Amino acid sequence: MELRNLPSVKKHKDLTDRAWQSIKPVIIEALEWHKAQRLERKRNHSREVHQLRLAMLRVHMTYRMPIVPPCPDLFVMQPFKDMIDAPISANINFTVAHIVAAVVEWQCAKDAQLMRLVAQHCPHVDVNTRDALFLATTVFRCEKYGLLFNYPEVLTHTCPSDELDTGSKIPWWPSCRRLVFDVNFYQYARDRIESYRLNPDLMTRNEARRYELDLRVLYHVSRVNDWC
């Protein structure tokens, strides 16, 4: 609301000192509100500019690294969060070194989360290693869309319909609340591998490919047949 439209201001009479003292708090409150709104718009614009620059650098990095954190994860990670929140006039310089360092920290944290998901259903696995992530029996499922993911492709999964205030996709970092260890696939894969008289606790996906066992495809076909 414009100041001249405030009820305490929009009066057809001269402004006296006494009247000014009575409306002064209202005027100050209105000015402070407008100032806060203007600064918030400026901060949002600054964040959008910095986020766009970081997103462009991320696209460039995808040609050099197999796994790069999705933008929603980058936006909430340090040092990027502080850099994004900096004023637009600040001399912010996102570098490849920033991305590389972030990938190492990010992937270690993600791997630990995934291993905890596996351990919930496979108590025998060693959560201090990543070995179980490469097994042919290990697949993760997005509960929202039912999609299956192997490691490491699962690292870059985001649910596209959930949005932050910025309009960005919400990452599953750090709670893994949308991804689960697919127990049904795990049991199916174990049975299938054992039918070849092989050890499902040791067989990796690469080894399964050598036996021409595309377990995700076979599992999908088996589920379709069950539904028919």
Side-chain angles (χ1 to χ4, degrees):
M1 178 183 293
E2 295 183 2
L3 291 178
R4 62 184 177 184
N5 292 327
L6 290 173
S8 56
V9 175
K10 195 175 182 180
K11 294 183 178 180
H12 299 287
K13 60 181 181 179
D14 294 336
L15 179 64
T16 63
D17 290 340
R18 182 177 179 181
W20 166 245
Q21 291 301 321
S22 66
I23 68 173
K24 182 178 178 181
V26 178
I27 300 295
I28 292 176
E29 181 181 356
L31 289 173
E32 291 292 344
W33 183 86
H34 281 287
K35 179 182 178 181
Q37 293 295 308
R38 177 176 56 81
L39 292 177
E40 184 61 25
R41 287 193 297 270
K42 188 175 181 179
R43 281 192 294 268
N44 288 338
H45 174 65
S46 177
R47 290 191 193 101
E48 290 171 359
V49 170
H50 292 319
Q51 286 177 348
L52 179 60
R53 290 177 55 216
L54 179 56
M56 292 174 65
L57 176 60
R58 181 195 175 277
V59 171
H60 172 71
M61 290 300 297
T62 58
Y63 295 101
R64 303 177 55 176
M65 304 180 69
I67 296 293
V68 180
C71 285
D73 282 4
L74 286 179
F75 293 164
V76 298
M77 292 168 61
Q78 295 294 1
F80 303 117
K81 187 177 186 303
D82 288 344
M83 298 170 79
I84 287 171
D85 288 338
I88 197 169
S89 58
N91 185 22
I92 299 300
N93 184 26
F94 299 111
T95 66
V96 171
H98 283 138
I99 296 284
V100 173
V103 167
V104 174
E105 178 184 355
W106 169 83
Q107 187 162 350
C108 287
K110 291 275 193 172
D111 289 351
Q113 292 174 3
L114 294 173
M115 284 302 301
R116 287 194 291 271
L117 287 179
V118 175
Q120 290 176 8
H121 303 282
C122 307
H124 62 280
V125 304
D126 183 0
V127 295
N128 296 315
T129 72
R130 299 188 305 156
D131 295 347
L133 298 178
F134 299 94
L135 293 179
T137 55
T138 299
V139 159
F140 300 92
R141 185 181 78 255
C142 170
E143 286 190 308
K144 194 173 187 67
Y145 293 99
L147 302 174
L148 298 181
F149 299 96
N150 289 121
Y151 180 87
E153 65 178 321
V154 66
L155 292 173
T156 57
H157 170 62
T158 56
C159 288
S161 67
D162 296 313
E163 297 184 349
L164 294 169
D165 292 339
T166 59
S168 302
K169 298 173 185 176
I170 289 183
W172 54 276
W173 171 291
S175 64
C176 296
R177 61 185 176 274
R178 295 178 185 85
L179 285 167
V180 296
F181 177 72
D182 196 314
V183 180
N184 292 330
F185 178 90
Y186 171 76
Q187 192 56 57
Y188 171 84
R190 287 188 67 87
D191 294 342
R192 190 82 184 190
I193 293 170
E194 287 175 345
S195 70
Y196 283 76
R197 297 184 179 181
L198 300 170
N199 188 347
D201 293 324
L202 297 177
M203 176 166 281
T204 65
R205 283 188 301 280
N206 288 336
E207 291 170 340
R209 292 190 189 101
R210 289 204 294 269
Y211 287 93
E212 297 184 350
L213 278 173
D214 193 335
L215 293 169
R216 272 174 60 177
V217 171
L218 293 172
Y219 177 67
H220 176 71
V221 171
S222 71
R223 295 296 293 272
V224 171
N225 290 337
D226 288 343
W227 295 332
C228 294

